[in-house]
Amino acid sequence: MRLAARDVLRAVREREAYANLVLPGLLRERRISGRDAALATELTYGSCRSLGLLDAVIAAGAGRPVDEIDGPLLDVLRLGVYQLLRTRIGAHAAVDTSVALARTEFGAGKAGFVNAVLRRAGEKSVDEWVDELAPRDPVGRLAFEFAHPVWIAQAFADALGARAGELRDVLAADDARPIVHLVARPGDITAEELALVTGGEEGKWSPYAVYLDGGGDPGKLEPVREGMAAVQDEGSQLVALALTRAELDGPDNGRWLDLCAGPGGKAALLGAIAAIDGHRVDAVEPAEHRAELVRKTVHDLPVDVHVADGRNSGLTPGYDRILVDAPCTGLGALRRRPEARWRRTPADVAELVVLQRELLAAAWDLLRPGGVVLYSTCSPHLLETVAVVVDAARRTGAIQLDTRDLLPGVPDIGDGPGAQLWPHRHGTDAMFLAALRKPLE
């Protein structure tokens, strides 16, 4: 299990691979299952999430910066320190197995170095290391304790606004492994039926959501294999549902558009809902390989997939409902992408905001008067959310709907007119959504 985890950490470091894509295939290839697979998963994802904290402790134990330590050796150290500080694995086992990994690949000398660093790391508890190494300011300390870059923790605090005292809860929720959410495809299976078949629990907020607690590959579940259900965060389900619930000015003619469709989860839910009333959905995705994923996801639904740039799609205007689930930093889904927090930088925000504004402007041009565009991001960063919507409303004269009305029964989603979901409040990714209606001409 530790060798598998070490190999994934190496792929993440050397090739900028995604742990959640590499690990499942590696477990299948090596026929690792059950409790061993669960341990490999915990060690891999936990080490990726905790990188900043681990590296600070390693540097303190080694007496040198981590960038002066050979990469393959650093992978072993990160794995060892994670076990020492953030699992219930005994110190003896954590050290001995890590030393053995180093000795097998690098020889006795470097194994001795690993042994020395890990023994120093194990001399203090994680709380004692936090007290010693964390920045003194409140946001910096929380960011260090819960292994987030400071700029991301600050972005969360800014988005929480008057409730910034919840920052600890947000970061803690972000640092925990999330449960799997399934979506029951409307018209094929109900959430109640899906929960009974899978042993899951019906969701709190989406009428199609089911929660799966525990390990295992959800792709092996019969309803998922047969296309009656899929893995989809409940927050993403709520985004698609909000678009369908928005009040139009005039009739719904059944022309819906998902302008940023890849990999297809929201397009599939929209398509299943559209099919009930005889409507159709156009789905736009610029990359062919991702467009193919959309096609597979929506293959038996009234969804037409177009390979095009959403900013210049070539589609005929006149849509009743348009979803702009814009490319973003993904800061709201860091718990599902363990290494992502260490790859993003503040510079990414400025670049993405330009794209987000352009996509929303393109959607506006495709929307009929009286129609609604729903803008969403899987990020709570104010520049990607409120600022984009306010700018669009100012430029277009859009009518901002109270998006909270489109999420009935969901509490604590902000002061409006947009809505913000949070992992610590709702158990979802931190999705932002805002609905804009085009005035009648």
Side-chain angles (χ1 to χ4, degrees):
M1 303 85 69
R2 290 174 175 84
L3 184 60
R6 192 281 312 273
D7 289 346
V8 177
L9 293 185
R10 183 170 294 183
V12 169
R13 179 182 50 78
E14 291 182 346
R15 308 198 312 268
E16 293 197 347
Y18 294 96
N20 64 330
L21 298 182
V22 174
L23 181 63
L26 192 148
L27 294 178
R28 286 193 298 269
E29 177 187 316
R30 299 185 186 179
R31 298 182 179 178
I32 301 172
S33 60
R35 295 177 64 182
D36 289 345
L39 177 58
T41 301
E42 167 61 19
L43 296 182
T44 301
Y45 292 170
S47 297
C48 288
R49 279 195 303 266
S50 305
L51 210 62
L53 172 65
L54 302 180
D55 283 358
V57 173
I58 290 168
R64 68 177 91 160
V66 293
D67 57 11
E68 294 180 9
I69 299 173
D70 290 343
L73 207 59
L74 186 58
D75 299 330
V76 175
L77 286 168
R78 286 168 170 167
L79 195 57
V81 174
Y82 179 77
Q83 292 174 78
L84 284 170
L85 299 184
R86 290 204 150 189
T87 74
R88 296 180 180 178
I89 294 170
H92 185 75
V95 173
D96 283 3
T97 53
S98 300
V99 170
L101 277 177
R103 182 180 294 111
T104 300
E105 187 168 1
F106 309 113
K110 291 187 176 179
F113 172 70
V114 168
N115 182 64
V117 173
L118 293 185
R119 291 199 180 280
R120 291 190 194 111
E123 290 172 358
K124 296 182 177 71
S125 69
V126 65
D127 291 338
E128 289 170 334
W129 278 118
V130 169
D131 287 339
E132 180 176 325
L133 300 176
R136 301 294 82 162
D137 66 286
V139 173
R141 180 184 171 87
L142 286 172
F144 185 86
E145 181 179 352
F146 293 102
H148 283 68
V150 174
W151 75 272
I152 293 179
Q154 186 62 60
F156 289 171
D158 293 342
L160 287 165
R163 294 177 67 171
E166 296 178 18
L167 181 59
R168 169 179 285 275
D169 295 334
V170 178
L171 297 177
D174 222 20
D175 207 28
R177 190 179 175 195
I179 63 171
V180 173
H181 292 178
L182 297 180
V183 58
R185 178 181 283 186
D188 285 347
I189 191 171
T190 66
E192 182 181 14
E193 292 166 340
L194 182 59
L196 286 171
V197 171
T198 60
E201 175 189 351
E202 289 184 64
K204 294 179 181 178
W205 320 120
S206 163
Y208 307 119
V210 169
Y211 307 151
L212 286 185
D213 200 2
D217 180 0
K220 294 181 179 178
L221 296 170
E222 185 177 353
V224 176
R225 289 201 321 269
E226 295 184 359
M228 295 189 294
V231 175
Q232 186 177 47
D233 183 79
E234 190 173 19
S236 293
Q237 297 175 41
L238 290 174
V239 166
L241 280 165
L243 177 66
T244 69
R245 292 166 172 166
E247 185 177 350
L248 307 179
D249 205 332
D252 191 335
N253 301 302
R255 282 194 74 201
W256 298 0
L257 171 62
D258 183 349
L259 197 61
C260 311
K266 296 182 184 71
L269 182 52
L270 287 173
I273 295 172
I276 296 170
D277 293 319
H279 299 339
R280 291 199 71 84
V281 179
D282 284 308
V284 174
E285 167 54 48
E288 173 57 42
H289 70 283
R290 283 172 61 85
E292 183 58 29
L293 291 176
V294 180
R295 292 188 195 101
K296 290 178 180 177
T297 305
V298 305
H299 71 280
D300 59 346
L301 295 168
V303 179
D304 302 305
V305 181
H306 307 266
V307 181
D309 187 325
R311 294 169 292 184
N312 186 25
S313 65
L315 296 172
T316 303
Y319 287 94
D320 300 283
R321 303 178 189 273
I322 300 178
L323 174 62
V324 180
D325 183 39
C328 67
T329 55
L331 301 187
L334 295 179
R335 61 196 186 131
R336 299 192 188 277
R337 301 181 180 95
E339 68 288 308
R341 68 190 66 182
W342 307 111
R343 289 185 178 168
R344 284 297 188 190
T345 70
D348 294 330
V349 177
E351 183 178 333
L352 285 161
V353 164
V354 173
L355 176 60
Q356 290 156 1
R357 291 185 177 189
E358 291 173 347
L359 286 165
L360 188 50
W364 193 255
D365 291 339
L366 292 168
L367 191 68
R368 73 160 175 85
V372 170
V373 59
L374 191 125
Y375 173 81
S376 69
T377 61
C378 190
S379 169
H381 198 298
L382 293 177
L383 291 181
E384 298 187 87
T385 58
V386 175
V388 170
V389 174
V390 168
D391 176 70
R394 178 184 57 79
R395 287 186 294 102
T396 63
I399 300 166
Q400 292 195 61
L401 306 183
D402 192 333
T403 313
R404 298 172 299 177
D405 295 340
L406 310 181
L407 303 176
V410 185
D412 291 330
I413 50 178
D415 299 326
Q420 179 66 61
L421 299 167
W422 289 102
H424 69 295
R425 293 183 195 167
H426 309 105
T428 67
D429 292 341
M431 301 294 302
F432 169 84
L433 51 161
L436 302 171
R437 188 165 62 215
K438 198 170 194 174
L440 291 172
E441 295 174 342

